[in-house]
Amino acid sequence: MKPFNIQEAIQILETTPGVLSPLLRNLPEGWADAREGTDTWSPFDIVGHLIHGEKTDWIPRMQIILEYGKSKPFPEFDRQAQFRDSKGKSLSQLLDEFEELRKKNIGELKRQQLTDDDLGKTGLHPDFGEVTLQQLLSTWVVHDLGHLRQIARVLAKQYKDEIGPWEKYLPVVSE
Amino acid sequence: MKPFNIQEAIQILETTPGVLSPLLRNLPEGWADAREGTDTWSPFDIVGHLIHGEKTDWIPRMQIILEYGKSKPFPEFDRQAQFRDSKGKSLSQLLDEFEELRKKNIGELKRQQLTDDDLGKTGLHPDFGEVTLQQLLSTWVVHDLGHLRQIARVLAKQYKDEIGPWEKYLPVVSE
């Protein structure tokens, strides 16, 4: 495991749009809408969810911590927002939007020049109470990677019925 | 789920090097060597494993099926090869090598102009016996995506101790 490092976190966060873009723009027709089952998210849904995080979660919550600390709890995060906001948009539009928002947000993060003291500042999460800015920023990184892993899994499962006995060696289709 | 389609499979297989490359070349120092625990694979190890697959698994096995059918079982796949073959190489060298081999192999796959009849041909897997060419090619796709999901998970876990109470919402760090 690694200790949190703001430069390293930024480096990973900056990379995400340039990984999702080739992965999803080159998918065959229909694959971006593939799901693991009912009430699960497609790659298209996941990009919408990442966009909503850029707009309402990471940087806005950082600003609440830095300005208000624990005196103003974070607003609830809307996990269904993408089903409303992505309507009528193409995957390509969403990927452009995500890239642009991420760039803007990383610019804002860098502009803050956070100190160790800042990273230890706390805010109030609506579900689990006191959290530090460092935990919030670490979570942003893990959240990106968790959704990348989810997209890979959703896509892999589309051939679950095609791989025959290899299923035994490929746990990804059964996760 | 999707039925196997050779054009779609090729499209996904062609994309993989262009996804792994930005993801891994932009990692902070040391992250490509990160692991989930002892006897698990780092992103560096995984790229070496993918290279060994390009050299000895997918296309060579396709050729065995097309030339010999079930009369010549596939040789065993060496799951430890990367620990020998990647020694002394940089991650950047491995990513270049993977990209080149994949390009060559997809060229070979296209050159075959496989028919439905070809896809139904069978070979003999050393562990589980009769398999079809279509199962082999489907497995190639799922194998790429499974290792992409593994890389994302290995990286995500590096901040398992940093995310505090968010661990509850991020199953990727506990998988």
Side-chain angles (χ1 to χ4, degrees):
Chain A
M1 274 186 272
K2 307 268 181 203
F4 179 78
N5 173 302
I6 183 84
Q7 265 73 40
E8 294 188 353
I10 287 174
Q11 207 173 321
I12 298 172
L13 289 166
E14 281 178 327
T15 298
T16 306
V19 173
L20 293 184
S21 183
L23 176 61
L24 299 180
R25 287 185 205 267
N26 291 309
L27 283 178
E29 184 75 29
W31 284 67
D33 298 315
R35 289 198 164 74
E36 294 171 277
T38 47
D39 288 326
T40 64
W41 293 359
S42 67
F44 181 87
D45 298 333
I46 293 167
V47 180
H49 166 73
L50 291 171
I51 286 172
H52 197 66
E54 297 302 305
K55 286 182 180 165
T56 70
D57 193 327
W58 316 107
I59 291 294
R61 286 181 173 186
M62 173 186 83
Q63 283 157 341
I64 291 173
I65 291 176
L66 294 175
E67 273 184 60
Y68 303 96
K70 284 183 289 184
S71 68
K72 181 177 166 181
F74 306 149
E76 289 275 355
F77 181 80
D78 182 357
R79 295 187 77 256
Q80 305 299 318
Q82 67 273 18
F83 299 109
R84 197 177 58 237
D85 296 347
S86 301
K87 221 171 252 175
K89 293 186 182 167
S90 69
L91 176 65
S92 178
Q93 282 175 304
L94 293 184
L95 287 165
D96 286 345
E97 191 178 351
F98 175 57
E99 188 176 347
E100 205 174 294
L101 287 166
R102 174 58 57 92
K103 208 169 168 181
K104 188 169 80 62
N105 282 337
I106 295 296
E108 181 56 28
L109 179 58
K110 287 178 175 172
R111 214 184 53 75
Q112 291 288 342
Q113 303 193 277
L114 298 170
T115 62
D116 282 352
D117 185 53
D118 289 328
L119 291 171
K121 289 181 179 163
T122 51
L124 217 53
H125 187 282
D127 290 343
F128 32 70
E130 188 174 305
V131 290
T132 66
L133 178 53
Q134 180 165 317
Q135 288 170 338
L136 174 72
L137 297 177
S138 306
T139 300
W140 193 3
V141 173
V142 174
H143 185 264
D144 269 18
L145 293 165
H147 283 297
L148 175 61
R149 153 298 232 135
Q150 181 186 17
I151 289 170
R153 188 186 67 219
V154 172
L155 297 174
K157 283 189 181 176
Q158 302 311 308
Y159 275 178
K160 183 182 166 77
D161 284 354
E162 290 290 354
I163 61 177
W166 270 287
E167 188 174 339
K168 195 183 136 193
Y169 288 175
L170 293 165
V172 64
V173 299
S174 318
E175 267 174 2
Chain B
M1 274 186 269
K2 307 268 181 203
F4 180 78
N5 174 303
I6 182 84
Q7 265 72 42
E8 293 188 354
I10 287 174
Q11 207 173 322
I12 297 172
L13 289 167
E14 280 178 326
T15 298
T16 305
V19 173
L20 293 184
S21 184
L23 176 61
L24 299 179
R25 287 185 205 269
N26 291 310
L27 283 178
E29 184 75 28
W31 282 68
D33 298 315
R35 288 196 165 75
E36 293 170 278
T38 47
D39 288 325
T40 65
W41 293 359
S42 68
F44 181 86
D45 298 333
I46 294 167
V47 180
H49 166 74
L50 291 172
I51 287 172
H52 197 66
E54 296 302 304
K55 286 182 181 166
T56 70
D57 193 328
W58 317 107
I59 291 294
R61 286 182 172 185
M62 174 186 81
Q63 283 157 340
I64 291 172
I65 291 176
L66 294 175
E67 273 184 59
Y68 304 96
K70 284 183 288 183
S71 69
K72 180 176 166 182
F74 306 150
E76 288 275 355
F77 182 79
D78 182 357
R79 295 186 78 257
Q80 305 299 319
Q82 67 274 17
F83 299 110
R84 196 178 57 235
D85 296 347
S86 300
K87 223 170 251 174
K89 293 185 183 166
S90 68
L91 176 66
S92 177
Q93 282 176 303
L94 294 184
L95 288 165
D96 287 345
E97 192 178 350
F98 175 58
E99 188 176 348
E100 206 174 292
L101 287 166
R102 175 57 59 92
K103 209 171 168 180
K104 188 169 80 62
N105 283 337
I106 295 296
E108 182 57 28
L109 180 58
K110 286 178 175 170
R111 213 184 54 75
Q112 291 288 342
Q113 302 193 277
L114 297 170
T115 61
D116 283 351
D117 185 53
D118 289 329
L119 290 171
K121 288 180 180 162
T122 53
L124 217 53
H125 188 282
D127 290 343
F128 33 69
E130 188 175 305
V131 291
T132 66
L133 179 53
Q134 180 164 317
Q135 288 170 339
L136 175 73
L137 298 177
S138 306
T139 300
W140 193 2
V141 173
V142 174
H143 184 264
D144 269 18
L145 293 165
H147 283 296
L148 174 61
R149 150 304 231 131
Q150 182 186 18
I151 289 170
R153 188 186 67 220
V154 173
L155 297 174
K157 283 189 181 176
Q158 303 311 309
Y159 275 177
K160 184 181 165 73
D161 283 354
E162 291 289 355
I163 61 177
W166 269 288
E167 188 175 339
K168 194 182 138 194
Y169 287 175
L170 293 166
V172 63
V173 299
S174 318
E175 268 173 3

